[in-house]
Amino acid sequence: MTQVKPAHKRILLKLSGEALMGDDQFGINRATIERMVAEIVEVSKIGVQVAVVIGGGNIFRGVAGGSAGMDRATADYMGMLATVMNALALADAMDKQGLTARVMSAIAIEQVVEPYVRPKALQYLEEGKVVVFAAGTGNPFFTTDTAAALRGAEIGAEVVLKATKVDGVYTDDPAKNPNATRYEQLAFDEAIGRNLGIMDATAFALCRDQKLPIRVFSIIKPGALLRVVMGENEGTLVHA
Protein backbone atom coordinates (compact mmCIF):
# COMPACT_ATOMS: atom_id res chain seq x y z
CA MET A 1 0.00 0.00 0.00
CA THR A 2 1.34 3.44 -0.95
CA GLN A 3 1.75 5.67 2.06
CA VAL A 4 0.18 9.11 1.73
CA LYS A 5 2.82 11.80 2.13
CA PRO A 6 2.19 14.96 4.14
CA ALA A 7 1.54 18.15 2.18
CA HIS A 8 4.11 20.05 4.25
CA LYS A 9 7.59 18.92 5.23
CA ARG A 10 8.47 21.81 7.55
CA ILE A 11 5.97 23.86 9.54
CA LEU A 12 6.04 26.71 12.05
CA LEU A 13 3.32 26.23 14.65
CA LYS A 14 2.25 29.39 16.49
CA LEU A 15 0.68 28.56 19.85
CA SER A 16 -0.83 31.23 22.04
CA GLY A 17 -0.11 31.06 25.73
CA GLU A 18 -3.86 31.12 26.34
CA ALA A 19 -4.19 27.83 24.46
CA LEU A 20 -2.29 26.14 27.30
CA MET A 21 -4.71 27.30 29.99
CA GLY A 22 -7.54 24.91 29.21
CA ASP A 23 -10.41 26.01 31.41
CA ASP A 24 -8.10 27.68 33.94
CA GLN A 25 -7.91 31.45 34.34
CA PHE A 26 -4.14 31.52 33.92
CA GLY A 27 -1.16 29.21 34.17
CA ILE A 28 -0.67 25.85 32.44
CA ASN A 29 -3.28 23.12 32.41
CA ARG A 30 -1.30 19.88 32.29
CA ALA A 31 -3.99 17.83 30.55
CA THR A 32 -4.31 20.49 27.85
CA ILE A 33 -0.59 20.70 27.15
CA GLU A 34 -0.28 16.90 27.03
CA ARG A 35 -3.11 16.68 24.49
CA MET A 36 -1.51 19.34 22.28
CA VAL A 37 1.86 17.62 22.47
CA ALA A 38 0.24 14.32 21.45
CA GLU A 39 -0.92 16.05 18.25
CA ILE A 40 2.62 17.34 17.58
CA VAL A 41 4.06 13.87 18.20
CA GLU A 42 1.61 12.45 15.67
CA VAL A 43 2.73 14.77 12.85
CA SER A 44 6.40 14.44 13.77
CA LYS A 45 6.17 10.65 13.43
CA ILE A 46 5.20 10.96 9.76
CA GLY A 47 8.32 12.99 8.99
CA VAL A 48 7.08 16.57 9.36
CA GLN A 49 9.69 18.94 10.79
CA VAL A 50 8.05 21.03 13.49
CA ALA A 51 9.12 24.35 14.96
CA VAL A 52 6.99 26.13 17.55
CA VAL A 53 6.66 29.74 18.64
CA ILE A 54 4.73 30.10 21.86
CA GLY A 55 3.16 33.11 23.53
CA GLY A 56 3.16 33.97 27.22
CA GLY A 57 -0.28 35.42 27.85
CA ASN A 58 -1.34 32.62 30.17
CA ILE A 59 1.60 33.26 32.54
CA PHE A 60 1.66 37.01 32.18
CA ARG A 61 -2.08 37.19 32.84
CA GLY A 62 -1.37 36.16 36.42
CA VAL A 63 0.79 39.26 36.99
CA ALA A 64 -0.99 41.62 34.63
CA GLY A 65 -2.55 43.63 37.45
CA GLY A 66 0.87 44.49 38.83
CA SER A 67 2.07 45.61 35.41
CA ALA A 68 -0.54 48.37 35.12
CA GLY A 69 1.20 51.68 34.47
CA MET A 70 4.52 49.92 33.88
CA ASP A 71 6.90 51.02 31.15
CA ARG A 72 5.92 49.20 27.95
CA ALA A 73 9.39 47.85 27.25
CA THR A 74 9.68 46.45 30.79
CA ALA A 75 6.27 44.78 30.51
CA ASP A 76 7.26 43.29 27.13
CA TYR A 77 10.44 41.82 28.62
CA MET A 78 8.36 40.26 31.36
CA GLY A 79 6.15 38.76 28.66
CA MET A 80 9.22 37.33 26.92
CA LEU A 81 10.23 35.58 30.13
CA ALA A 82 6.72 34.14 30.34
CA THR A 83 7.19 32.58 26.89
CA VAL A 84 10.40 30.94 28.11
CA MET A 85 8.45 29.34 30.98
CA ASN A 86 5.85 28.03 28.53
CA ALA A 87 8.53 26.76 26.17
CA LEU A 88 10.18 24.79 28.98
CA ALA A 89 6.84 23.27 29.98
CA LEU A 90 6.10 22.35 26.37
CA ALA A 91 9.53 20.78 25.85
CA ASP A 92 9.20 18.81 29.08
CA ALA A 93 5.82 17.43 27.97
CA MET A 94 7.33 16.49 24.61
CA ASP A 95 10.24 14.69 26.24
CA LYS A 96 7.80 12.70 28.40
CA GLN A 97 5.99 11.58 25.23
CA GLY A 98 9.21 10.45 23.57
CA LEU A 99 9.78 13.47 21.35
CA THR A 100 13.12 15.29 21.57
CA ALA A 101 12.67 19.05 21.89
CA ARG A 102 15.13 21.91 21.98
CA VAL A 103 14.23 25.32 23.40
CA MET A 104 16.02 28.27 21.80
CA SER A 105 15.62 31.73 23.28
CA ALA A 106 15.96 35.11 21.59
CA ILE A 107 17.27 36.54 24.86
CA ALA A 108 20.28 35.07 26.62
CA ILE A 109 19.42 32.73 29.50
CA GLU A 110 22.11 30.17 28.78
CA GLN A 111 21.87 28.41 32.15
CA VAL A 112 18.28 27.49 31.25
CA VAL A 113 17.89 27.37 27.45
CA GLU A 114 20.04 27.66 24.35
CA PRO A 115 20.41 30.98 22.56
CA TYR A 116 18.73 31.15 19.17
CA VAL A 117 21.22 30.37 16.41
CA ARG A 118 19.69 29.79 12.99
CA PRO A 119 22.10 27.10 11.68
CA LYS A 120 21.71 25.14 14.91
CA ALA A 121 17.92 25.37 14.69
CA LEU A 122 18.03 24.06 11.11
CA GLN A 123 20.30 21.21 12.21
CA TYR A 124 17.88 20.20 14.96
CA LEU A 125 14.96 20.21 12.52
CA GLU A 126 16.85 18.03 10.05
CA GLU A 127 17.59 15.62 12.91
CA GLY A 128 13.87 15.27 13.61
CA LYS A 129 13.87 17.29 16.81
CA VAL A 130 11.15 19.83 17.59
CA VAL A 131 12.52 23.34 18.05
CA VAL A 132 10.62 25.63 20.41
CA PHE A 133 11.44 29.30 19.89
CA ALA A 134 11.05 31.35 23.07
CA ALA A 135 11.28 35.04 24.04
CA GLY A 136 9.63 36.30 20.87
CA THR A 137 12.00 38.28 18.68
CA GLY A 138 14.03 39.35 21.71
CA ASN A 139 12.82 42.93 21.32
CA PRO A 140 10.03 44.88 23.01
CA PHE A 141 7.13 46.23 20.94
CA PHE A 142 7.05 43.08 18.77
CA THR A 143 4.51 40.33 19.39
CA THR A 144 4.98 36.58 19.24
CA ASP A 145 2.95 36.69 16.00
CA THR A 146 5.82 38.68 14.51
CA ALA A 147 8.27 36.18 16.00
CA ALA A 148 6.36 33.36 14.28
CA ALA A 149 6.49 35.12 10.92
CA LEU A 150 10.19 35.93 11.36
CA ARG A 151 11.27 32.47 12.49
CA GLY A 152 9.07 30.84 9.88
CA ALA A 153 10.81 32.81 7.14
CA GLU A 154 14.26 32.18 8.63
CA ILE A 155 13.92 28.40 8.82
CA GLY A 156 12.23 28.05 5.44
CA ALA A 157 8.90 26.84 6.80
CA GLU A 158 6.33 26.07 4.14
CA VAL A 159 3.47 27.46 6.20
CA VAL A 160 2.79 29.23 9.49
CA LEU A 161 0.05 27.43 11.38
CA LYS A 162 -1.74 29.74 13.78
CA ALA A 163 -3.41 27.51 16.36
CA THR A 164 -6.44 29.11 18.02
CA LYS A 165 -9.59 28.07 19.83
CA VAL A 166 -11.66 28.79 16.70
CA ASP A 167 -11.52 26.60 13.60
CA GLY A 168 -10.59 29.34 11.15
CA VAL A 169 -11.37 32.92 10.22
CA TYR A 170 -15.03 33.93 10.21
CA THR A 171 -17.05 36.78 8.80
CA ASP A 172 -18.04 37.61 12.39
CA ASP A 173 -17.48 36.25 15.88
CA PRO A 174 -19.11 32.78 15.70
CA ALA A 175 -19.64 32.77 19.47
CA LYS A 176 -21.88 35.84 19.14
CA ASN A 177 -23.28 35.41 15.64
CA PRO A 178 -24.51 31.89 14.74
CA ASN A 179 -24.85 33.01 11.10
CA ALA A 180 -21.13 33.80 10.78
CA THR A 181 -19.46 31.81 8.02
CA ARG A 182 -15.90 30.53 7.80
CA TYR A 183 -13.57 31.63 5.04
CA GLU A 184 -11.88 28.65 3.40
CA GLN A 185 -9.25 30.86 1.72
CA LEU A 186 -8.28 34.52 1.75
CA ALA A 187 -5.70 36.53 -0.12
CA PHE A 188 -3.42 38.61 2.09
CA ASP A 189 -4.69 41.87 0.60
CA GLU A 190 -8.30 40.80 1.09
CA ALA A 191 -7.67 39.90 4.73
CA ILE A 192 -5.96 43.25 5.31
CA GLY A 193 -8.79 45.11 3.57
CA ARG A 194 -11.40 43.35 5.71
CA ASN A 195 -9.40 44.10 8.89
CA LEU A 196 -9.87 40.54 10.13
CA GLY A 197 -7.17 40.72 12.81
CA ILE A 198 -5.61 37.35 11.97
CA MET A 199 -2.17 38.50 13.13
CA ASP A 200 -0.70 41.84 14.02
CA ALA A 201 0.15 44.09 11.07
CA THR A 202 3.92 43.58 11.24
CA ALA A 203 3.63 39.79 11.21
CA PHE A 204 1.06 39.86 8.45
CA ALA A 205 3.14 42.15 6.25
CA LEU A 206 6.21 39.94 6.72
CA CYS A 207 4.30 36.79 5.72
CA ARG A 208 2.84 38.57 2.71
CA ASP A 209 6.21 39.94 1.55
CA GLN A 210 7.88 36.53 1.98
CA LYS A 211 4.93 34.73 0.35
CA LEU A 212 4.67 32.61 3.47
CA PRO A 213 1.09 31.30 3.78
CA ILE A 214 -0.76 31.28 7.09
CA ARG A 215 -3.33 28.68 8.04
CA VAL A 216 -5.60 29.44 10.98
CA PHE A 217 -7.10 26.37 12.63
CA SER A 218 -8.40 25.08 15.94
CA ILE A 219 -5.89 23.33 18.17
CA ILE A 220 -8.84 22.17 20.25
CA LYS A 221 -10.31 19.95 17.52
CA PRO A 222 -8.85 16.44 17.81
CA GLY A 223 -6.70 15.52 14.81
CA ALA A 224 -6.87 19.03 13.29
CA LEU A 225 -3.09 19.49 13.17
CA LEU A 226 -2.62 16.19 11.32
CA ARG A 227 -5.35 17.10 8.84
CA VAL A 228 -3.66 20.44 8.18
CA VAL A 229 -0.24 18.94 7.45
CA MET A 230 -1.85 16.32 5.22
CA GLY A 231 -3.30 19.13 3.11
CA GLU A 232 -6.95 18.70 4.03
CA ASN A 233 -9.37 21.60 4.03
CA GLU A 234 -9.06 22.48 7.72
CA GLY A 235 -9.41 26.04 9.00
CA THR A 236 -8.67 29.06 6.80
CA LEU A 237 -5.73 29.48 4.43
CA VAL A 238 -4.35 33.00 3.93
CA HIS A 239 -2.02 33.22 0.95
CA ALA A 240 -0.40 35.54 -1.58
Side-chain angles (χ1 to χ4, degrees), residues 166-170 182-185 214-218 221 224 227-228 232-238:
V166 183
D167 64 338
V169 181
Y170 280 77
R182 178 175 62 87
Y183 295 104
E184 290 190 5
Q185 294 190 29
I214 304 165
R215 185 172 287 275
V216 183
F217 75 105
S218 171
K221 285 176 66 176
R227 289 192 292 274
V228 167
E232 296 183 27
N233 182 24
E234 183 76 33
T236 301
L237 178 66
V238 186

Side-chain angles (χ1 to χ4, degrees), residues 194-216:
R194 293 178 183 270
N195 195 28
L196 294 172
I198 297 167
M199 282 184 164
D200 72 78
T202 304
F204 212 68
L206 180 54
C207 286
R208 180 187 62 186
D209 293 346
Q210 297 301 314
K211 296 182 171 54
L212 179 59
I214 304 165
R215 185 172 287 275
V216 183

Side-chain angles (χ1 to χ4, degrees), residues 15 19 47 55 59 63 79 90 100-101 109 112 121 124 142 152-153 155 170 181 187 200 203-204 215 219 235:
L15 284 174
I59 302 294
V63 296
L90 191 64
T100 304
I109 321 175
V112 182
Y124 287 150
F142 291 92
I155 66 169
Y170 280 77
T181 57
D200 72 78
F204 212 68
R215 185 172 287 275
I219 195 65

Side-chain angles (χ1 to χ4, degrees), residues 35 44 60 68 118 142 144 148 155 166 176 178 188 203 207 229:
R35 181 185 56 76
S44 183
F60 193 69
R118 179 175 175 268
F142 291 92
T144 49
I155 66 169
V166 183
K176 298 178 180 178
F188 279 114
C207 286
V229 300

Side-chain angles (χ1 to χ4, degrees), residues 1-223:
M1 183 181 294
T2 303
Q3 186 176 5
V4 179
K5 294 183 178 180
H8 305 292
K9 182 181 179 184
R10 181 176 293 170
I11 63 171
L12 188 292
L13 177 64
K14 168 59 172 66
L15 284 174
S16 69
E18 287 80 358
L20 304 183
M21 294 190 304
D23 295 326
D24 299 338
Q25 291 187 332
F26 57 86
I28 298 168
N29 182 288
R30 193 66 192 181
T32 298
I33 198 171
E34 288 174 353
R35 181 185 56 76
M36 289 182 185
V37 166
E39 303 251 342
I40 295 172
V41 170
E42 190 174 20
V43 301
S44 183
K45 282 182 176 178
I46 61 172
V48 179
Q49 297 175 8
V50 183
V52 182
V53 167
I54 192 161
N58 59 317
I59 302 294
F60 193 69
R61 182 176 296 187
V63 296
S67 69
M70 186 180 291
D71 177 79
R72 168 65 189 274
T74 300
D76 281 357
Y77 280 118
M78 290 172 65
M80 289 179 218
L81 294 176
T83 72
V84 175
M85 295 169 68
N86 280 339
L88 289 169
L90 191 64
D92 177 75
M94 289 179 184
D95 288 339
K96 283 181 169 54
Q97 294 195 36
L99 191 59
T100 304
R102 293 288 183 266
V103 178
M104 305 188 88
S105 172
I107 56 177
I109 321 175
E110 294 187 33
Q111 292 92 335
V112 182
V113 293
E114 295 182 50
Y116 168 66
V117 179
R118 179 175 175 268
K120 195 70 174 177
L122 292 171
Q123 177 187 328
Y124 287 150
L125 291 170
E126 293 288 348
E127 291 171 351
K129 299 179 175 70
V130 174
V131 181
V132 184
F133 296 120
T137 66
N139 301 287
F141 308 106
F142 291 92
T143 69
T144 49
D145 278 349
T146 299
L150 176 62
R151 298 291 181 245
E154 285 184 302
I155 66 169
E158 296 166 18
V159 63
V160 171
L161 304 181
K162 178 157 184 179
T164 69
K165 294 183 178 181
V166 183
D167 64 338
V169 181
Y170 280 77
T171 54
D172 197 2
D173 185 348
K176 298 178 180 178
N177 181 2
N179 296 317
T181 57
R182 178 175 62 87
Y183 295 104
E184 290 190 5
Q185 294 190 29
L186 282 165
F188 279 114
D189 290 340
E190 182 182 3
I192 291 171
R194 293 178 183 270
N195 195 28
L196 294 172
I198 297 167
M199 282 184 164
D200 72 78
T202 304
F204 212 68
L206 180 54
C207 286
R208 180 187 62 186
D209 293 346
Q210 297 301 314
K211 296 182 171 54
L212 179 59
I214 304 165
R215 185 172 287 275
V216 183
F217 75 105
S218 171
I219 195 65
I220 300 208
K221 285 176 66 176

